[in-house]
Every structure is written in structure tokens, then in C-alpha cells.
Amino acid sequence: MALDVALKEWQSVCRLLAQGRQSVLLRKGGIQEGPGGFAIKHAAFALLPTRLHQAASMLRPKFRDAVEPGDEEPARFDVTHGCRVSDIHVVPSRDTLDRLSPFHPWNASYLDLRWNYRPERPLYLVVVRTFALSQALVVKNTHEIAGCRSWVPLAGDVDSTGLDEPVFDSSKHESLRNRIVETVTK
């Protein structure tokens, strides 16, 4: 299977996923997602590490070491990891976000911001399993990639054979996944 799409995500979140320090994403969708909002259309995707909207002040202090200096978007992105989706859940309440804090790096201010942004749209919790790509990919920052969009096409076939080598083993992932699902469905 070749990857043909990347999810734009904060550079710090991509780093935390790659380090096995995080296994969830919170998504509502970018401005350019259209009237339906965010949707997971791909069971596997590459991670495109963006600095757009990233703010160290929105992470809890113990996770701020994942933020690289600089706030401008680079001329190119180094794509080194991908994810496979394990589960997708609508977050039912703001209280649920607080109960999910062991599984993500964001602070209360960021959670409030995400929860209150476009309240008519649901907030999705996406449980992912992260893998190192067998070969890093360099993606030029073009007009088609820039801006508030979640999904960006990847030119050519990206070798996904590395998606067979997870950041951490199956038993740890399954244990973590079960705890996350239990928390979000309480």
C-alpha cells in the first residue's frame, strides 16, 4: 500500500506521536474543510509537521520540549512518520476532555478553544498507531499545502512498508487504546 495523503498536524504533536508519548488526535477541521467539517477518509496517512497555529503555551509544561523554535512555516516539510487509525469517537462533553488528559499534551486553555470552536460541529478523538516511514519524504510547501486544511495530497507513491514497524508494540497499543476508549465512552 502506498500513502497518497498526509494530515497536517502541529510539529510538536507529530514529534510526540513519533516518540510514543501521544496516541490521540483531536480534530474539528480546518477552515477549508467544507460544510461537512472534518472527516477521516484515510485509514493510514503520513504526518506533515506544520507550525501553523502551533503554540507552546497551549501545551502542558511537560510537553513543551517537543516544540522546535520558530513560528514560520518552512519552505519544505520533512515527513518521517505515518499513522494508522484505530478508533474514531465523538467527544461527548468538555468533561470528557478533562478525563482524557493522560493521553494528550494539551492544556485546559487549548481544550476550551477546541471545544468552543464551531460548537455546531463535533470534536473528534482519533486514536492512532504511529509508525516510522521506511524512507523520509521531503514535501515542498506549496500553495496547495498552505493554509487551514487538514488533508494534503502527496505527490507520487510514498513507500509505506515502514508502517509495519510501530513506535511501540501491539500489546502496549492495545492496552492504551482500551483505556482511551473506556474513558471516552463513559
Side-chain angles (χ1 to χ4, degrees):
M1 170 183 78
L3 296 178
D4 60 357
V5 67
L7 178 69
K8 285 180 72 173
E9 184 56 83
W10 286 6
Q11 165 274 320
S12 55
V13 169
C14 292
R15 179 175 276 178
L16 291 167
L17 288 165
Q19 294 171 345
R21 294 170 63 192
Q22 178 175 347
S23 294
V24 299
L25 300 169
L26 291 177
R27 305 299 292 195
K28 259 198 186 179
I31 294 168
Q32 299 177 18
E33 295 299 330
F38 179 77
I40 294 286
K41 300 175 184 172
H42 312 278
F45 50 85
L47 290 168
L48 193 139
T50 183
R51 291 183 176 144
L52 188 64
H53 303 304
Q54 176 176 258
S57 63
M58 295 295 180
L59 298 175
R60 286 180 282 156
K62 71 179 183 179
F63 295 104
R64 291 182 184 161
D65 64 315
V67 179
E68 291 178 3
D71 56 0
E72 298 217 4
E73 289 290 278
R76 65 185 193 115
F77 300 96
D78 295 323
V79 178
T80 61
H81 286 78
C83 292
R84 288 188 195 270
V85 175
S86 296
D87 297 270
I88 305 167
H89 299 277
V90 172
V91 179
S93 69
R94 176 61 182 82
D95 289 340
T96 302
L97 284 175
D98 289 334
R99 289 195 311 274
L100 288 165
S101 67
F103 310 110
H104 65 73
W106 300 291
N107 64 24
S109 296
Y110 180 76
L111 296 178
D112 288 340
L113 184 70
R114 295 309 301 151
W115 183 257
N116 294 323
Y117 174 74
R118 295 189 176 187
E120 73 281 3
R121 291 188 179 174
L123 179 62
Y124 295 97
L125 176 80
V126 183
V127 183
V128 295
R129 189 157 186 211
T130 307
F131 301 80
L133 297 178
S134 56
Q135 227 177 338
L137 174 69
V138 175
V139 177
K140 290 177 82 175
N141 192 356
T142 64
H143 176 71
E144 291 78 29
I145 290 174
C148 289
R149 67 184 84 239
S150 297
W151 300 107
V152 296
L154 296 174
D157 289 338
V158 177
D159 182 9
S160 65
T161 56
L163 290 184
D164 295 328
E165 300 171 24
V167 169
F168 48 79
D169 68 42
S170 296
S171 61
K172 181 176 177 184
H173 172 73
E174 197 57 30
S175 173
L176 187 59
R177 181 194 156 275
N178 288 338
R179 289 176 39 222
I180 293 167
V181 170
E182 181 181 314
T183 301
V184 80
T185 57
K186 275 186 181 177

